[in-house]
Amino acid sequence: MHKLNSRILNFAYTASRELKNIAFSCFSYRTVGTKTLINSNRLLNELSKSGRIDKARQVFDKMLSRDEFTWNTMIAAYSISGRLSEARELFYEAPTKSPITWSTLISGYCRHERETEAFELFWQMQMEGQKPSQFTLGSALRLCSTLGLFKRGEQIHGYTIKTSFDSCDFVLAGLVDMYAKCKRILDAEYLFGMSSNSRNHVMWAAMVTGYSQNGEGLKAIRCFQAMRAEGVDCNQFTFPGILTACAAVSALIFGAQVHACIVRSGFGANVFVQSALVDMYSKCGDFSSAQRMLEDMEVDDVVSWNSLIVGCVRCELFREALGLFEKMRVKDMKTDHFTYPSVLNCLAVMKEIENSKSVHCLIIKTGFEAYVLVGNALVDMYAKQGNLNWAYQMFTLILDKDVVSWTSLVTGYAHNGFPEKAIGLFRDMRVAGVYPDQFVIASILSACAALAVLEFGQQIHANCTKSGLRSSLSVDNALVTMYAKCGCIEEANRIFDSMHARNVITWTALIVGYAQNGRGRESLKFYNQMIATGIDPDFITFIGLLFACSHAGLEENGRSYFESMDKVYGIKPGPEHYACMIDLLGRAAKLDEAEELLNRMTVEPDATVWKTLLAACRVHGNVELGERAAKNLLELEPSNAVPYVLLSNMYSAAGRWEDAARIRRLMKSVGISKEPGCSWIEMNSQVHRFMSEDRGHPRTDEIYSKVDEVMILIKEAGYVPDMNFALHDVDDEGKLLGLAYHSEKLAIAFALLAVPTGAPIRIFKNLRVCGDCHTAMKYISRVFHRHIILRDPNCFHHFKKGNCSCGDYW
């Protein structure tokens, strides 16, 4: 028994020791396995964070055991690096998916702006019973902020209220940022106000930046001041926002104070803050400070250089802007597609053709020609330089043409004397489905004004009213000009009266419009009203005023305005003003005084001045002075037909037929031909053109029959043909026929056939209306009881009841 007990005890002891060994072995295995997993996870995390994703995947694949951290780390690595398909594949392989796993993948899609997939996962997560965390919501809100997804953001906001996440500071800051970046600044302001007890620096930064990005610069400054008053620290995200606000409202002094705050806070070396400082100083016009900031930067940041170049261009410091660009090239800095548009703008204004070509070659070499911003700038540059062929060529190379592309080309043609081409391009633009903006509308209205195509201009006006573009000052100014230049001065006045804001361009358009439409005294009244409102006249205003005085016979007023230019407003008279004064004196038959003024000019007389004097000499038969004027005009413009024609006409009017024939022969020998007279009428969006003795119109027989009828009726009313305007040495019958079939008379005959009774007749001529046609129009207006509006290059002639608005100066 004793031996049995001893054996049992011995067995128990042995068994116990083996069990202990087994237990110890198991414990040791678990410890080693855990340490291996921890080490592997640590290695995996380090490789992922250093961007060695493929190496991390190799470690992941070799791991014998993986926990949640392992799977989340690898999914995050793929997500952050943009390898989203691999991240998603791994996500679905994961044995368990916690809220962190879902958030990791969703954050990856949000980070890379994959809106559809991000929100599909966001809703799927909830369908599977997983509750999004504050970090998931933050990622989704950041996506909404970046892409301006206001409706999505509102849905997330609703979810946060439902799940009480709206009280979380992190989520609340995301909501404020989302509403601000979606241009709902009042909603952002409301949420910000509701969180008065829990505002952190993120929320303050979101609000300051939000105000700044929504054009509320003063509010951004006040918000920043309140933030500082509460002792909240600023960071590299707050400072750029407040500096942008300072730049927007030109708050240079406050911006300098923020700069001091930046230095004290230790963010003076941050490249984003430094770039914002350069931008602020340059936009506030303190280029020396901006230059110093740029020189102090340790890293040559292209954004900062661009900011300073743009600032120089904005302040018309074009040489300085090009100098900065040259320094960038010397430093071998990489320019971008924001650098070139500013440089091209400088070259466009300065008309530097050779440098333009060099920069264009550089653009091609660096591969930026395909960028829309650069392509648009090239079109604009060539158009402003008058090189429309190259502008059109650049336009055709732009693949994704936007409204700026079309505007640059349309404006180029409109401002370079090709209004018909501009209108054709505008139609192409509308066919292409591109919606016009205020700039292209203003340009196309200018083209309508140049061609006097009233119906098309009225269509543009109707579209502007429908689309709301009428609220633009530039469009309103263009409408006033268009109606005035189409002879609808009352309509121009109505547009003027409806305008909420007016500038010197607005007033000048109306002053010039009334002057050109033969209502000079009213033009002067508008000038007095403009001065009473505190707006000073400019160079163009005085051209309109002097034109009005000249055509209304207001000699003393004209002298007074001319003297006030320099004495009162410091505006030096240009050749255009002297031409108006010479015209005024010429109409008063004071040719000696006109010649004396010309000799006293403070600027070199141009072709317009000599042309005006020559025309006055022709009217008053001063052949000697006319010959001197013609000689000077020919020296300035040897290929211009005007001096030859005026001199020939003067000789013809004086009965010096041999001299007139000699001038015509001289003209022919040097290969100069007179621009043929052309009159036209716009009806039902069609233009009907007529040349002298033209027989190409489909209704020619009716038109000539009507001319014969008109001539009989007005002769019975007292019209006598003026043979002085039959400027060919032929018999009287030939002269009468030549006068009867001038382009103006053919146009009026067609209008009497086609324009409804009671409607005004609008005729346009490329050359000055001849004196005989002018007299005939007066009789026609009385005999046929019609209001005839004839526009020539000089002014409008409103014929009513036998009178004309122009003052009858021939």
Side-chain angles (χ1 to χ4, degrees):
M1 185 69 182
H2 177 75
K3 288 181 179 180
L4 178 61
N5 289 339
S6 179
R7 282 199 303 270
I8 292 172
L9 288 171
N10 189 42
F11 174 77
Y13 174 78
T14 303
S16 174
R17 188 171 57 185
E18 288 177 1
L19 286 171
K20 283 181 180 179
N21 289 335
I22 292 170
F24 180 76
S25 298
C26 290
F27 175 76
S28 298
Y29 177 80
R30 285 199 302 271
T31 303
V32 171
T34 303
K35 285 182 178 178
T36 302
L37 180 60
I38 292 170
N39 290 334
S40 297
N41 282 344
R42 185 182 294 117
L43 177 60
L44 187 69
N45 191 38
E46 288 173 359
L47 291 170
S48 299
K49 285 184 176 179
S50 64
R52 291 178 287 176
I53 312 300
D54 293 329
K55 185 67 176 173
R57 183 58 190 260
Q58 289 173 13
V59 171
F60 178 85
D61 290 339
K62 289 178 182 178
M63 290 175 68
L64 298 176
S65 63
R66 303 171 185 133
D67 59 7
E68 185 184 327
F69 180 85
T70 313
W71 288 92
N72 291 346
T73 301
M74 199 63 231
I75 292 169
Y78 280 132
S79 298
I80 291 168
S81 64
R83 295 164 65 169
L84 296 172
S85 58
E86 291 166 283
R88 191 159 191 156
E89 185 181 335
L90 209 58
F91 171 80
Y92 287 119
E93 289 178 12
T96 58
K97 299 177 185 66
S98 68
I100 296 173
T101 316
W102 283 92
S103 295
T104 301
L105 187 62
I106 292 169
S107 297
Y109 278 101
C110 291
R111 178 191 290 267
H112 295 283
E113 299 179 9
R114 299 275 289 272
E115 172 197 353
T116 305
E117 295 95 327
F119 283 106
E120 278 179 1
L121 286 165
F122 183 75
W123 305 129
Q124 187 183 341
M125 176 185 185
Q126 295 168 67
M127 292 292 290
E128 295 193 12
Q130 296 283 359
K131 185 180 179 183
S133 67
Q134 59 176 322
F135 304 107
T136 318
L137 295 169
S139 296
L141 287 169
R142 273 195 299 275
L143 179 63
C144 295
S145 300
T146 305
L147 300 182
L149 306 173
F150 172 63
K151 291 296 179 186
R152 293 281 199 189
E154 271 194 323
Q155 291 173 350
I156 294 170
H157 188 186
Y159 178 83
T160 63
I161 295 171
K162 188 175 172 185
T163 55
S164 300
F165 268 114
D166 59 329
S167 60
C168 170
D169 294 346
F170 182 80
V171 174
L172 195 54
L175 285 167
V176 170
D177 184 59
M178 182 275 295
Y179 279 115
K181 286 182 177 167
C182 288
K183 308 297 180 186
R184 302 297 292 259
I185 192 63
L186 292 178
D187 292 327
E189 196 174 58
Y190 173 78
L191 285 174
F192 183 75
M194 293 291 289
S195 62
S196 57
N197 297 324
S198 59
R199 293 172 185 161
N200 56 23
H201 69 279
V202 177
M203 204 176 298
W204 280 100
M207 203 63 228
V208 169
T209 305
Y211 279 131
S212 179
Q213 291 175 341
N214 282 272
E216 299 279 3
L218 293 176
K219 282 189 175 182
I221 290 172
R222 285 196 289 269
C223 185
F224 181 80
Q225 288 171 326
M227 173 184 173
R228 297 293 295 162
E230 289 198 11
V232 179
D233 291 331
C234 303
N235 58 21
Q236 69 269 31
F237 303 107
T238 317
F239 287 124
I242 189 60
L243 289 170
T244 301
C246 293
V249 297
S250 298
L252 177 60
I253 295 173
F254 190 80
Q257 292 171 352
V258 173
H259 187 180
C261 180
I262 288 167
V263 174
R264 284 198 306 271
S265 303
F267 288 100
N270 183 279
V271 68
F272 297 108
V273 175
Q274 287 177 325
S275 181
L277 280 166
V278 172
D279 183 63
M280 185 274 294
Y281 280 121
S282 61
K283 284 181 179 174
C284 290
D286 187 353
F287 292 104
S288 59
S289 296
Q291 184 84 37
R292 281 197 302 272
M293 281 302 310
L294 198 64
E295 290 169 356
D296 289 343
M297 292 179 70
E298 294 180 9
V299 179
D300 284 323
D301 175 48
V302 67
V303 176
S304 303
W305 284 81
N306 287 347
S307 296
L308 191 53
I309 290 173
V310 169
C312 289
V313 172
R314 191 178 286 112
C315 293
E316 299 184 359
L317 302 172
F318 303 117
R319 287 284 173 204
E320 290 80 354
L322 291 178
L324 286 166
F325 176 68
E326 186 58 35
K327 284 182 181 178
M328 289 180 77
R329 298 293 302 150
V330 170
K331 284 173 170 280
D332 200 25
M333 287 180 62
K334 286 186 177 180
T335 50
D336 63 15
H337 60 290
F338 295 106
T339 313
Y340 288 111
S342 298
V343 173
L344 293 170
N345 190 14
C346 292
L347 296 168
V349 174
M350 297 171 71
K351 311 285 186 191
E352 293 201 1
I353 310 296
E354 290 306 314
N355 284 337
S356 300
K357 291 177 181 176
S358 299
V359 173
H360 189 179
C361 290
L362 184 61
I363 288 168
I364 296 170
K365 187 178 173 184
T366 52
F368 285 106
E369 194 177 25
Y371 285 79
V372 176
L373 278 176
V374 178
N376 289 346
L378 281 167
V379 173
D380 182 63
M381 179 192 71
Y382 283 119
K384 283 178 178 173
Q385 291 177 351
N387 194 338
L388 295 174
N389 289 334
W390 269 97
Y392 187 78
Q393 210 169 334
M394 291 302 101
F395 176 79
T396 58
L397 294 175
I398 300 172
L399 297 178
D400 298 318
K401 298 177 181 67
D402 58 13
V403 66
V404 179
S405 317
W406 287 96
T407 299
S408 298
L409 194 63
V410 170
T411 302
Y413 278 102
H415 292 175
N416 281 282
F418 297 94
E420 286 181 277
K421 180 68 175 174
I423 289 174
L425 282 166
F426 180 78
R427 287 185 172 128
D428 293 342
M429 171 185 168
R430 298 299 289 126
V431 170
V434 178
Y435 199 80
D437 62 9
Q438 58 183 351
F439 303 107
V440 74
I441 290 293
S443 293
I444 208 65
L445 286 171
S446 296
C448 293
L451 290 173
V453 283
L454 177 62
E455 288 183 21
F456 190 71
Q458 287 172 323
Q459 291 171 17
I460 300 294
H461 183 187
N463 286 332
C464 285
T465 304
K466 219 158 130 188
S467 64
L469 279 175
R470 271 286 326 273
S471 59
S472 161
L473 181 60
S474 61
V475 171
D476 282 334
N477 287 344
L479 281 168
V480 172
T481 303
M482 187 273 293
Y483 279 115
K485 288 192 174 180
C486 288
C488 303
I489 195 64
E490 286 80 12
E491 186 60 32
N493 203 348
R494 275 194 290 273
I495 299 293
F496 177 85
D497 289 339
S498 70
M499 291 173 67
H500 299 295
R502 301 175 186 131
N503 59 11
V504 65
I505 297 171
T506 319
W507 286 96
T508 298
L510 205 63
I511 289 166
V512 172
Y514 269 92
Q516 289 181 331
N517 280 275
R519 294 165 71 169
R521 294 182 185 276
E522 290 169 88
S523 181
L524 303 192
K525 286 180 183 177
F526 280 109
Y527 173 74
N528 293 331
Q529 289 178 27
M530 180 183 86
I531 298 300
T533 62
I535 296 176
D536 287 340
D538 64 8
F539 192 91
I540 307 296
T541 312
F542 280 107
I543 295 175
L545 278 176
L546 295 174
F547 185 94
C549 293
S550 172
H551 284 250
L554 304 172
E555 184 184 338
E556 291 307 313
N557 293 75
R559 291 177 189 271
S560 174
Y561 289 132
F562 185 74
E563 288 177 9
S564 72
M565 283 183 66
D566 193 10
K567 289 181 179 178
V568 180
Y569 298 104
I571 300 172
K572 299 292 181 185
E576 303 90 339
H577 302 102
Y578 282 104
C580 288
M581 286 301 296
I582 289 168
D583 184 58
L584 184 147
L585 294 169
R587 286 170 183 264
K590 297 181 178 179
L591 293 180
D592 291 339
E593 193 175 342
E595 186 180 18
E596 183 186 342
L597 176 65
L598 189 148
N599 292 330
R600 289 190 285 109
M601 281 179 63
T602 57
V603 293
E604 196 68 28
D606 66 0
T608 305
V609 173
W610 290 111
K611 204 181 298 180
T612 305
L613 182 62
L614 178 56
C617 292
R618 181 204 174 283
V619 170
H620 296 292
N622 192 330
V623 177
E624 183 183 348
L625 181 58
E627 286 175 332
R628 289 204 300 274
K631 181 183 176 183
N632 283 285
L633 185 54
L634 283 169
E635 286 178 2
L636 289 172
E637 296 182 348
S639 59
N640 190 343
V642 170
Y644 293 98
V645 172
L646 286 175
L647 198 57
S648 172
N649 291 351
M650 190 160 50
Y651 286 140
S652 298
R656 293 169 57 174
W657 298 108
E658 288 184 8
D659 287 331
R662 175 175 58 81
I663 294 296
R664 286 197 294 272
R665 284 196 301 272
L666 178 61
M667 232 178 122
K668 190 174 181 181
S669 68
V670 294
I672 296 171
S673 59
K674 176 192 172 186
E675 181 185 359
C678 175
S679 300
W680 67 92
I681 294 177
E682 183 194 13
M683 278 190 62
N684 301 322
S685 299
Q686 279 191 311
V687 176
H688 301 263
R689 289 183 176 82
F690 301 92
M691 311 282 281
S692 184
E693 301 183 39
D694 186 1
R695 293 185 178 273
H697 196 277
R699 299 178 67 177
T700 291
D701 292 341
E702 291 178 81
I703 290 168
Y704 274 79
S705 176
K706 191 68 176 177
V707 168
D708 295 339
E709 176 195 335
V710 167
M711 297 306 290
I712 292 169
L713 290 173
I714 62 174
K715 281 176 183 176
E716 290 175 358
Y719 160 73
V720 177
D722 190 342
M723 295 300 186
N724 288 324
F725 292 93
L727 301 172
H728 295 286
D729 192 10
V730 294
D731 58 29
D732 286 351
E733 186 179 353
K735 289 180 180 179
L736 285 172
L737 287 174
L739 287 173
Y741 301 135
H742 277 190
S743 66
E744 299 97 314
K745 293 188 180 79
L746 295 176
I748 194 68
F750 171 74
L752 290 170
L753 290 168
V755 178
T757 303
I761 294 172
R762 301 178 188 278
I763 300 173
F764 309 95
K765 189 176 179 188
N766 63 330
L767 303 176
R768 188 171 184 181
V769 61
C770 96
D772 177 71
C773 287
H774 188 271
T775 302
M777 293 284 183
K778 291 165 69 176
Y779 279 97
I780 292 168
S781 71
R782 188 171 73 194
V783 169
F784 288 88
H785 308 288
R786 302 299 291 263
H787 177 197
I788 302 169
I789 305 166
L790 189 150
R791 171 184 161 183
D792 66 15
N794 193 42
C795 66
F796 279 93
H797 304 267
H798 289 262
F799 300 97
K800 283 184 180 179
K801 300 177 181 178
N803 297 309
C804 181
S805 61
C806 74
D808 297 339
Y809 176 64
W810 260 266

